[in-house]
Amino acid sequence: MLLSQKYINRWLDKRIPPATEFQLDHNTIFIFAAKFGGLFLLLCLLLFLLGTNYQNNLMLLLCYFLLALLLTHLLASYRNFSRLTIRLGKLSEVFAGDDVALPVWINPESAPAVHGIVNINFMGQDVQHWLDCDNYNNPVNIELHCPRRGYQAIPRVTFSSYYPLGLFKCWTHLAFAQQILVYPTPRPCPLVLTSKASEQGEQSQSGQQISLANNDEFSHLKAYSAGEPLRHVAWKQLAKGRGMLSKIFSQEQQHSGWLVLPPGPASQLETQLGQLCFQVIEFSRQSAHFGLQLGDIVIPPSSGESHRLNCLHALAIYQSEPSAMVDRQ
Amino acid sequence: MTMLKHLFTLLKFRARKLSVKDRQQQASNPAFVLNALVLLAFTLSLLDSILGWVSLLVLCSTAIRAAIYFAYQKHLPSQRTMSLLALLSAIGLAYSAIPLGLLVAMVNLLVMACALKLMQLRSQRDFYQFIVSLLFLLGCGFIFNQSIAYSLFYALLIFAVVLSLAWFHAPARARKPQVRYVALMCLQAAPIAILLFLVLPQLPPLWQTPKAKSAQTGLTEKVTPGDIASLSQSSKLAFRATFNGTAPAIAERYWRAIVMEDFDGRSWQVNTQRKQQIQLQQQGMLRFSPQLTGPFAEYDVIAEPTQQRWLFGLDIAVPDSRQSQNEIWQSPTFQLVKRQPVSSAFQYTLRSYTQAMANQPLDALSKAINTDTPRQGNPRTRQWVSELRRQYPHNPDFIRALMQNFAQQPFIYTLRPRPMPVDPVDAFLFDQQAGFCSHYASALAYSLRLGGIPARLVTGYQGGELLAKPDQAPYLSVYQYDAHAWVEAYDAQAGWQRLDPTAMVAPDRITQGLRQAMEQEGSFLADSPFALARLSDIAIFNQLRLWMTDMDYNWSRWVIGFDKQKQLELFKALVGELNPWRLALLGGVIVLIIGLILLFSYLPQWLAGRRHPLQHCYQQALSVFAQAGFVRPAWGGPLEFEAAVQRHFSADISQCFNAFNRLYLAYVYRPHTTRANRQLRRTVRDMRRHLKHLKKLLSPAMREAQGVNRQE
């Protein structure tokens, strides 16, 4: 079973290589009779038998019409499905243990030439999403659970459609070239900046210690978008019937110094990285000036969004096992 | 906290799962109500076969679906209610459908199941099962109704079912494009279906099928003239006959169906010994072949379904084609008998030897049966005949005298005689002297038997409406109101001869048909005042009626009557002599034709879908330049390329490309308008014009000429 799965995957990788955007065509589309198509064939057979036994030409004609319909349906469903253009949008930040929302843009540029319901699921899993191509909003968010930090490949996403009559199933397994960078789970801890990277062992006591626990200040509310952490959802607002809103927090204090990964056993690594992650986020929110040192990796002190991303990136990939996707590339 | 979160995601997942399942079950989806209407319409078309309470069930389910669609009601009936209803319905059907026969019971069961299913369509699987049973049901409808009007009606219903399937899979698509799309798909399928129908082999029945039991129509195997107070007539078609060459004259069109040889003083019926003979024939233990000589006529007959085994033919008819010979045989009384009852339109080929009847011998059995008379009853007739017989001992004289009696006495031909319950022949001959064909035939045959001459009653049809057009073979439509009864008598010199006493009383009936004969009495089709046949005096209605008859004839001859033989003729017409090689070629050509039909219906859309027409046009222009050795660099934009063209090419080329490029840019960077489609069409049209010009200017010949010019 596993072996065959492996072969299928290898074959799929060759047939539908990963990309960021797909225009479905005969290379990517698979088509086969659906269960209903089988039932329909059985009906045709029954009509044929009955029509022959009663020597009833009209019944035979109906049988042949249904068969011909099967044939035109094959082409119609393929043509409809092949108008699908799929692109994966920009991924939001995600921390280990959370779900990331994969924003899938369906036919972002053209008028809706595709019709009918399209089912979306991860390959080999149950159908979780569907969209009606005549009535939907871009992007369609698909949640993917990210259990570990580091680069994570997106599993193949299956799009399937039964339009127009449900006799044939058109489907495709798409691999998106993007990889999800999963940051370590932030673990709340006291915010500590040591003054210098080289002397971190001794300086840890004398360094500035700012405790920021529960010090976030609520700033404003914004509309919730799928994939944002659930703990930021303003539940009270939801209860009042104002819809899903997210709380946004802000802090204005200024700090400067180093964040250093303390040496410790491997079992402690994840916790420590989580704490560093938390601190990176918090200090960045305060627009603090800080550097990061993880073993040999040193990011000089700086501030701003790109610095924050650099730090988080470093935390995410630090000693993480390479993902399958990285392997492939 | 984490547990709560877990619970929440679990709930969210559950909710999502449910929504996937129910997405197509939205109340606003017209698929369900459309199917409900289809089921209702089908039930209405078969109202006389479907039980009343089953129709009521269909009405209920339609009402439920309509209520949900129009949001009067939000919930389907509960599972428990439905189970109870289904149980009760099953018991009811088992109780009431047994006398209906297997076929009608099966249709009732299917209709009932569909109605119940419709009330509780919950999942996708339910819907698919329902659709398949509905389509099957519609197919069964063709067993009962095969006329053009019904076929069109059922075709419409089938289209509606296909449409509902499309709606199920695309609930939000607008109504008009959806209908157009499905119609297009069906139109593409239709020629393929017709091709398959023409080509795929027409097989003989694989096994015996249950027939509709109750609906025997047409002639009956027993005639009781005194009972019927008024002959009910119908303008329904009985059969059609297409002649090779000219049709016989109207007075010669006696279509024999059933021969009745048993008379009990009141009614005539088929002799039991004859029935046994037919059974023996069916088992292959008895053969009968008449002596056939003299001129003959060849013709095809398409009999409408009667659920009986008797067929119609002119005397003496024998099956002509091999297929007809397999299906039909001739009984010792020269009737045509089919192996199985005629349950759907049945076509057969006959050859009639019109003068051979006189040469048939009279065997001992026939003589015994045909001179047998009841001992009692009708005393006045007995006395009268014995006196007459004494007067005319010579057989032909006696027969003539009997016939003349009808002409001399004041007999009246009427469709509304009074009932004659006691001694009907006496009452008819001496008291009332009014009746229709079976009264006359019965009285004459009885009198002949009393006089010692073998005689029997024959029922069938007489006359028919002939439609002869220069471009097609003449065909005859015989309706139920052409039903007739006459007498056959045997004389040693003349053999079996046909005697029609009705002709003595109402010659119009024989030479012009029932309508003319009944003009004064006004009783022709008195039960159906709006029958088109009654209105044939009005020219336009008659035209309409004849046109419809013609359509119907062609329909039953070429569509319903299409069989193995016609298929072979078609093949022969297509490929000449039949051999495997040519048949294989024919098959190949047909597959090719189907492929081409599909290709031509999809090719334009494929080509259009491949690339935006605007981009396609622009790329073509670029390739024209590339052929001239001037390739647009990948990093250059359209404006940059325009400038480059201006630098490299002569003024007329660059001007032309300039206009082309401006059109392109104007469309690509247009403000968003609602009429983008029209604008696109216009832009592409103009761009194509420029492109054509550009191609001409950049063609090698032109450039050569220019190069020569420049050198000069």
Side-chain angles (χ1 to χ4, degrees), chain A residues 107-184:
Chain A
N107 286 5
E109 267 143 27
S110 61
V114 189
H115 302 285
I117 284 169
V118 171
N119 297 319
I120 306 171
N121 59 283
F122 290 111
M123 189 176 152
Q125 289 176 14
D126 281 346
V127 172
Q128 290 185 9
H129 297 262
W130 60 274
L131 77 140
D132 190 332
C133 287
D134 299 288
N135 180 22
Y136 70 102
N137 290 320
N138 262 330
V140 182
N141 284 316
I142 317 169
E143 281 99 39
L144 176 67
H145 188 63
C146 303
R148 275 194 310 276
R149 70 186 172 85
Y151 275 112
Q152 183 177 342
I154 303 174
R156 282 186 181 269
V157 184
T158 304
F159 295 81
S160 57
S161 164
Y162 293 88
Y163 190 77
L165 304 182
L167 303 174
F168 284 93
K169 178 188 182 183
C170 278
W171 78 97
T172 181
H173 302 295
L174 299 183
F176 291 107
Q178 286 103 319
Q179 295 184 63
I180 310 167
L181 182 60
V182 185
Y183 304 136

Side-chain angles (χ1 to χ4, degrees), chain A residues 23 25-26 34-80 82-83 97-99 109-110 112-120 125-136 141 143 145 161-168 224 226-227 229-231 235 238 244, chain B residues 1 5 8-9 12-13 16-17 19-20 23-24 26 103 106 124 127-129 131-133 135-136 138-147 151 158 162-163 165-174 178 181-182 184-190 192-194 196-198 200-212 323 340 343-345 555 558-563 594 598-599 601-602 605-606 609-610:
Chain A
Q23 166 71 57
D25 57 11
H26 63 274
K35 261 187 213 154
F36 178 49
L39 202 63
F40 203 73
L41 266 180
L42 204 71
L43 168 74
C44 290
L45 184 72
L46 220 61
L47 279 176
F48 181 78
L49 287 180
L50 210 65
T52 305
N53 273 347
Y54 278 96
Q55 294 286 289
N56 191 319
N57 279 341
L58 293 174
M59 223 190 264
L60 285 177
L61 205 55
L62 173 62
C63 164
Y64 297 146
F65 173 73
L66 294 182
L67 280 178
L69 203 62
L70 212 67
L71 205 62
T72 52
H73 182 283
L74 179 72
L75 290 171
S77 63
Y78 170 81
R79 199 159 56 81
N80 180 57
S82 68
R83 293 205 188 110
D98 269 353
D99 289 354
E109 267 143 27
S110 61
V114 189
H115 302 285
I117 284 169
V118 171
N119 297 319
I120 306 171
Q125 289 176 14
D126 281 346
V127 172
Q128 290 185 9
H129 297 262
W130 60 274
L131 77 140
D132 190 332
C133 287
D134 299 288
N135 180 22
Y136 70 102
N141 284 316
E143 281 99 39
H145 188 63
S161 164
Y162 293 88
Y163 190 77
L165 304 182
L167 303 174
F168 284 93
Y224 174 82
L230 283 172
R231 59 171 177 268
W235 295 109
L238 180 64
M244 293 271 270
Chain B
M1 184 65 198
K5 198 173 148 189
F8 179 77
T9 45
K12 205 166 67 169
F13 188 67
R16 208 187 295 134
K17 276 221 112 157
S19 73
V20 170
R23 71 207 172 179
Q24 283 149 331
Q26 289 153 356
L103 180 72
M106 191 189 77
Q124 191 168 324
F127 183 75
Y128 286 154
Q129 284 170 357
I131 288 288
V132 166
S133 7
L135 282 174
F136 185 72
L138 289 175
C140 287
F142 287 125
I143 299 177
F144 295 91
N145 299 313
Q146 298 191 345
S147 67
S151 305
I158 288 161
V162 175
L163 187 64
L165 263 177
W167 244 312
F168 186 71
H169 292 99
R173 193 166 182 191
Q178 183 93 288
Y181 183 77
V182 175
L184 189 71
M185 238 172 81
C186 290
L187 282 182
Q188 284 160 358
I192 300 173
I194 290 168
L196 287 176
F197 174 67
L198 292 178
L200 286 185
Q202 293 261 343
L203 301 178
L206 304 172
W207 63 80
Q208 198 144 11
T209 43
K211 300 287 190 279
Q323 204 190 351
Q340 285 175 20
S343 62
S344 59
W555 174 257
W558 298 111
V559 180
I560 297 171
F562 187 82
D563 56 8
I594 293 178
L598 292 176
L599 190 70
S601 48
Y602 285 101
Q605 287 147 329
W606 259 329
R610 194 131 293 199

Side-chain angles (χ1 to χ4, degrees), chain B residues 1 33 45 55 68 80 87 103 118 124 133 195 220 234 286 334 339 356 359 395 501 514 562 569 588 668 679 705 712:
Chain B
M1 184 65 198
V33 74
S45 81
S55 319
I68 288 173
R80 207 159 36 155
L87 189 71
L103 180 72
L118 193 60
Q124 191 168 324
S133 7
L195 210 60
T220 51
S234 119
L286 184 76
F334 313 108
R339 195 173 290 275
N359 305 332
N395 274 354
L514 189 66
F562 187 82
E569 280 167 20
V668 172
Q679 201 184 340
E712 282 171 359

